[in-house]
Amino acid sequence: MKVTFRVASKRNLKSIVELCNECFDENTSLAYAKKIWKKNKHDKNQIYIVGYVDGKIAAHAKVNIIPTIYEDMNTYAILNHICVKPGFRRLHIGTRLLDACFKVAKQHNCKTVELWSKNFRVAAHGLYHKYGFEVMETCLKEASMKINNVYVGGWYQRTMLQLSEIYDFLRNCEVKIKLDKKKLEVHRKNLEIGNISYGVSGEEFVYFTTANGISVKIFEDGLIILGNKDISEDTLFTDIDKVQNYYETKLSPALNYLFSLGAPVPKELAGIKNIYPYFIVCEKATDSEMQGLLAKTEGQQYFEFKNNKYDVIRGDKYYFINNKTRSGDQIERYIEEQVFIREFKAQLHRYLNIHRIIWEKIDQVKAHSRVKGADIVKFTTKLEAYAKTINLIDGRIKQMSTYIPTRERIAKSDKDLEEFLEISGYRYETLRDTLDYIKYLWNMTENYVSAALKQFESLKSDITSKSVNSLTIVTSMSAGAAILGLFTKAEPTFTAFGFMYFFILALVGWGSQKILSYVGNRQKYDVTDVEYEKDIK
């Protein structure tokens, strides 16, 4: 097999990172690799070698040239991250890769070559022995578990139009609607924004970092992911609280004020409480260390799965991910999708509960058969409030169907993400079916409230009509007496008796209205309902 070796360039970074993460159970991000490359790009003693097979990188090694001031030692080289892609092993590519490394070492007049390798790479050690290397020092214990990041997320329905408004506000505190400029400036200052950018990864998003090390990613569909890399096992819960507090006391109030005009968001309408899913991403964690983390949080395990790329344990609020070979970006993509799915399901479940509550409250009133007039007025007002809320939520539920196809398309275009979700047991088809069920159920709820509102408005109208008719009779009697008086006198005159008479008539009218209102409120009205036919033949 023909293999071509050459010194790597910046454009090879992505392939190098992916290959090394796969071969060494590492979690190097492309962003980190680019940062280090930029920092050391003028250092000619750091050389990355790549091997091409059919135009693709199949092998890699790092050659570190170490010049010294010692004449006997002179210059030596250290080789590390020597690897061959699994599908190309046992084809002598590793031997030829070592040849290429030694060629570079000779070009730099190195007298000695050292090779660093991890303990678990036993098969590779056989090749190194055959090539002439001898074991000088063995690290008996690899590094213990390391917690790389914690994430907190949430989802509020948004669009790219609102994302643009968020970006303008975060970047330079500009808004196109009439909001208090001073309040906006206070909110933006509290966010402590560092770097900010606008990007696209399946969806458009805004990404920014803060002065206290928190990263924030806001997508066009309203998904929000906050991360914190400045963490340790000893301060884990303090570090999680740091992210949550930033969201609750700084980011959320700022966004709420930015979108304070217009219809309320579904979570406010439905009274949905924020129960954040926390994602703790580790590496090199043993089973006992993962279970130890679970025990420190909630102790209840919902599911667990393992493979050669990652281990995942899920509790009620906490997800623990032991990353073995995936990049940080790949793990973050999985977390983003998990937050979206979890939040989407939580909203649907709350709408289901609202349907049950409203249906039960109406049934409780109808079960009494007879209802006081005063209670009819109160319940009619309550039904009108239900109808308004239901109408607003109905629009949001219909809007939810637009988000699933986009998220599903993004997931299916990413093989790693699709595999991750499949192992987790999530199906977009199930999510779509659940949404359709809630739509039908919500339509039934809307119709049921509308029918109940019509019925109680009719009863309310009857109460008002009876009161008006009774008051009309009293008024007509008074008017009749006045007209008869006109026929008994030559012309009207203003007298003390006349004023007293007018006052008595007004008092009688007022008293009659109060009595009739009291009687109407105390009187019970029949509430009839058509029963379900359970024996249709």
Side-chain angles (χ1 to χ4, degrees), residues 400-439:
M400 289 175 79
S401 61
T402 64
Y403 297 111
I404 295 179
T406 304
R407 284 283 166 187
E408 185 176 19
R409 174 180 53 79
I410 293 171
K412 289 185 175 180
S413 65
D414 186 331
K415 291 183 179 180
D416 287 302
L417 178 58
E418 187 176 23
E419 178 190 0
F420 217 144
L421 294 175
E422 189 168 337
I423 294 173
S424 305
Y426 289 105
R427 302 286 187 275
Y428 281 95
E429 293 82 0
T430 304
L431 207 61
R432 191 183 297 108
D433 292 342
T434 306
L435 176 59
D436 288 340
Y437 170 75
I438 294 297
K439 282 182 179 178

Side-chain angles (χ1 to χ4, degrees), residues 285-296:
T286 63
D287 290 344
S288 60
E289 286 173 326
M290 292 282 280
Q291 290 296 332
L293 285 174
L294 180 66
K296 287 181 180 179

Side-chain angles (χ1 to χ4, degrees), residues 152-156 222-226 247 267 276-277 339-340 343:
V152 175
W155 178 59
Y156 288 85
L223 183 68
I224 301 176
I225 304 294
L226 293 85
Y247 180 75
K267 286 190 174 183
Y276 305 103
V339 172
F340 172 78
E343 289 278 281

Side-chain angles (χ1 to χ4, degrees), residues 11-68:
R11 63 187 178 87
N12 301 134
L13 280 180
K14 186 174 184 296
S15 297
I16 292 173
V17 168
E18 291 176 351
L19 177 59
C20 290
N21 283 341
E22 180 182 6
C23 294
F24 295 101
D25 288 344
E26 293 180 341
N27 189 32
T28 302
S29 69
L30 181 59
Y32 178 81
K34 287 181 177 179
K35 181 175 73 173
I36 299 302
W37 180 278
K38 182 179 180 181
K39 181 179 179 181
N40 300 313
K41 64 181 179 180
H42 298 301
D43 186 349
K44 296 181 180 180
N45 290 324
Q46 296 196 42
I47 303 160
Y48 297 85
I49 297 175
V50 290
Y52 283 87
V53 176
D54 297 331
K56 294 183 179 180
I57 292 178
H60 165 267
K62 169 76 182 298
V63 181
N64 305 275
I65 307 298
I66 315 294
T68 74

Side-chain angles (χ1 to χ4, degrees), residues 7 9 23 92 112 147 166 177-178 213 224 266 270 275 288 302 350 373 408 427 441 460 485 495 523:
V7 175
S9 64
C23 294
H92 306 292
T112 307
I147 300 177
I166 291 172
I177 50 180
K178 291 184 178 180
I224 301 176
I275 302 176
S288 60
Y302 281 10
R350 178 54 182 162
E408 185 176 19
R427 302 286 187 275
L441 207 61
K460 182 181 175 183
T495 64
Q523 183 178 347

Side-chain angles (χ1 to χ4, degrees), residues 299-362:
Q300 184 177 9
Q301 179 176 313
Y302 281 10
F303 69 75
E304 177 182 13
F305 64 83
K306 300 180 179 180
N307 60 22
N308 62 342
K309 299 176 182 177
Y310 34 69
D311 302 332
V312 177
I313 296 178
R314 179 193 165 186
D316 180 26
K317 293 189 298 183
Y318 290 87
Y319 291 70
F320 303 94
I321 302 173
N322 181 31
N323 185 25
K324 297 177 180 177
T325 62
R326 301 295 85 185
S327 69
D329 291 340
Q330 288 170 321
I331 295 297
E332 194 168 301
R333 282 288 301 113
Y334 168 71
I335 291 172
E336 291 164 4
E337 217 60 28
Q338 287 290 298
V339 172
F340 172 78
I341 291 170
R342 182 185 174 111
E343 289 278 281
F344 197 99
K345 288 170 63 179
Q347 287 198 29
L348 292 182
H349 194 265
R350 178 54 182 162
Y351 298 148
L352 174 62
N353 286 339
I354 290 177
H355 150 78
R356 292 166 174 164
I357 292 168
I358 290 176
W359 204 280
E360 179 64 20
K361 285 185 179 293
I362 295 174

Side-chain angles (χ1 to χ4, degrees), residues 83-183:
C83 57
V84 176
K85 200 169 183 63
F88 294 90
R89 291 172 184 171
R90 300 188 183 279
L91 299 172
H92 306 292
I93 294 177
T95 302
R96 290 150 76 179
L97 176 60
L98 289 174
D99 290 341
C101 292
F102 269 79
K103 182 178 179 181
V104 171
K106 288 180 180 179
Q107 290 172 350
H108 287 78
N109 300 315
C110 295
K111 286 190 174 182
T112 307
V113 176
E114 293 182 8
L115 189 154
W116 292 359
S117 180
K118 292 188 175 183
N119 291 337
F120 73 87
R121 305 192 75 232
V122 177
H125 296 169
L127 168 64
Y128 304 151
H129 282 298
K130 288 181 181 179
Y131 203 88
F133 286 97
E134 295 180 0
V135 177
M136 296 174 60
E137 182 180 352
T138 301
C139 177
L140 297 177
K141 183 179 178 182
E142 298 283 359
S144 60
M145 177 184 71
K146 177 185 177 184
I147 300 177
N148 292 327
N149 211 329
V150 294
Y151 295 92
V152 175
W155 178 59
Y156 288 85
Q157 291 163 251
R158 307 283 188 206
T159 67
M160 66 173 63
L161 298 177
Q162 289 156 319
L163 185 68
S164 298
E165 293 176 334
I166 291 172
Y167 181 61
D168 290 340
F169 163 68
L170 295 175
R171 186 179 54 174
N172 49 26
C173 205
E174 286 187 359
V175 295
K176 297 179 181 179
I177 50 180
K178 291 184 178 180
L179 292 172
D180 190 304
K181 184 69 174 177
K182 290 184 179 179
K183 286 184 178 180

